[in-house]
Amino acid sequence: VKGPGPNGRIVSTDVKKYVEESKTQAKKPAEPAVEKKPTAPKPKPVSIPAGGQVVPLTNIQKIVAERLTMSYQTAPHINIQLDVNCEKMMEIRNILKAQGLKVSYNDILAKFTAVVLKEFPRFNSVYEDDGVHLLEDINIGIAVAAGDDLVVPVVKNVDQRDIAVIANESARLIAAAREGKLMPDDISGGTLTITNLGMFGVRTFSPIINPPQVAILAVGSIEPRAVVIPGQIIAQHMMTLSLSIDHRVVNGAHGGQFLSRLKELVETASMEVLMNRL
């Protein structure tokens, strides 16, 4: 006890006060000991095996990587697939070729897809924080491998053009892409993209949406498959269409309706539709 008096003098009240304070401290429950958590070890840097070759990314590859990473992280993707009979489409393509028109299956699918986009405008839109912006123009992007790069030249106003104009413009864009001669306007303004790996024998795949679009159509190989019709099994040329969509804008039911309508157009393959006569 330290006395408050002169020269540290202690009186009886000082002793009584000390005793009372000691009793009070003894009655207080002891504070639980805090267990120290072990510190997590810092992650070690990934060691890259020695040797090998570093292949630098081109500017196009860097842009594609950034855009598709952003798309996959922000847009909740769902993928819907549907098998389509191609017999009529193949037949009408042969008729067009006989008339001197060099038309690809992508050209035909682009025209039919444009028709469906007019009927289902939410697929021809852009998602923004304030809502879904429906777009007036229908511009179909065609994914093209140009060396090690992937570019998407855009055929503008496909709904307003006939198949001959679409085919000529598509051929021009693809040639320019492979020659590295695309202009900025050639790759801007796309509202939906078509990507095709059928030439490599790929039956189906799930592509990543090309932002800021809300849907992308993947086209698989056309191949003979056994098809059941009433009373028999026959071989028919079939392909699988895969539609990846942004679930913030359209749901699975919308995607099913979209693909079902596109299937109907492909399987009937109307020349009137392709020539823009309707």
Side-chain angles (χ1 to χ4, degrees):
V1 179
K2 293 183 179 180
N7 299 319
R9 182 179 295 174
I10 300 172
V11 296
S12 60
T13 55
D14 298 327
V15 176
K16 291 179 181 178
K17 181 180 178 182
Y18 176 79
V19 171
E20 292 299 324
E21 290 178 350
S22 298
K23 291 180 180 179
T24 303
Q25 291 293 333
K27 292 180 181 179
K28 288 185 178 180
E31 294 183 0
V34 178
E35 182 180 355
K36 292 185 178 180
K37 296 182 179 180
T39 305
K42 294 182 180 180
K44 297 181 180 180
V46 178
S47 60
I48 300 176
Q53 181 183 3
V54 177
V55 181
L57 296 177
T58 66
N59 289 334
I60 292 177
Q61 290 170 339
K62 290 178 181 178
I63 293 171
V64 169
E66 291 172 359
R67 288 168 58 84
L68 294 187
T69 299
M70 181 271 291
S71 173
Y72 208 70
Q73 290 177 340
T74 59
H77 285 53
I78 59 174
N79 183 265
I80 304 169
Q81 302 175 356
L82 193 63
D83 293 333
V84 178
N85 191 310
C86 298
E87 293 289 337
K88 289 286 186 180
M89 182 174 67
M90 295 172 68
E91 179 183 335
I92 206 166
R93 182 177 181 236
N94 289 332
I95 293 173
L96 292 169
K97 289 175 66 177
Q99 296 175 356
L101 294 177
K102 190 176 181 180
V103 177
S104 71
Y105 291 120
N106 279 348
D107 299 330
I108 296 174
L109 288 170
K111 180 60 183 179
F112 289 151
T113 300
V115 173
V116 183
L117 285 172
K118 288 194 72 172
E119 299 175 5
F120 296 87
R122 284 183 75 91
F123 287 83
N124 200 66
S125 67
V126 173
Y127 176 86
E128 298 287 351
D129 291 338
D130 62 341
V132 177
H133 293 233
L134 304 182
L135 306 174
E136 293 183 1
D137 294 336
I138 295 178
N139 305 326
I140 305 295
I142 307 294
V144 177
D148 291 331
D149 294 331
L150 177 67
V151 293
V152 186
V154 178
V155 182
K156 307 292 178 59
N157 301 311
V158 180
D159 57 316
Q160 302 173 22
R161 300 184 173 190
D162 63 38
I163 191 63
V165 176
I166 294 169
N168 288 336
E169 178 65 1
S170 175
R172 180 191 74 80
L173 291 169
I174 291 172
R178 290 173 176 165
E179 295 170 5
K181 297 180 179 179
L182 287 172
M183 303 301 290
D185 185 61
D186 293 333
I187 57 174
S188 63
T191 58
L192 183 141
T193 296
I194 294 176
T195 177
N196 191 334
L197 293 180
M199 69 288 291
F200 304 116
V202 176
R203 176 179 284 196
T204 180
F205 60 105
S206 302
I208 300 175
I209 298 167
N210 184 20
Q213 300 167 20
V214 301
I216 183 171
L217 179 69
V219 181
S221 59
I222 297 177
E223 59 185 4
R225 302 180 197 171
V227 176
V228 179
I229 63 173
Q232 60 180 321
I233 299 176
I234 62 174
Q236 295 279 277
H237 284 89
M238 305 288 291
M239 72 176 172
T240 301
L241 297 177
S242 302
L243 184 70
S244 293
I245 57 179
D246 185 341
H247 211 317
R248 297 173 301 179
V249 179
V250 284
N251 58 36
H254 296 146
Q257 292 169 347
F258 185 99
L259 272 184
S260 180
R261 177 59 174 143
L262 182 56
K263 172 185 172 77
E264 178 185 359
L265 289 171
V266 172
E267 293 186 344
T268 55
S270 166
M271 186 69 79
E272 299 297 311
V273 173
L274 292 177
M275 289 302 181
N276 224 32
R277 295 172 184 157
L278 296 179

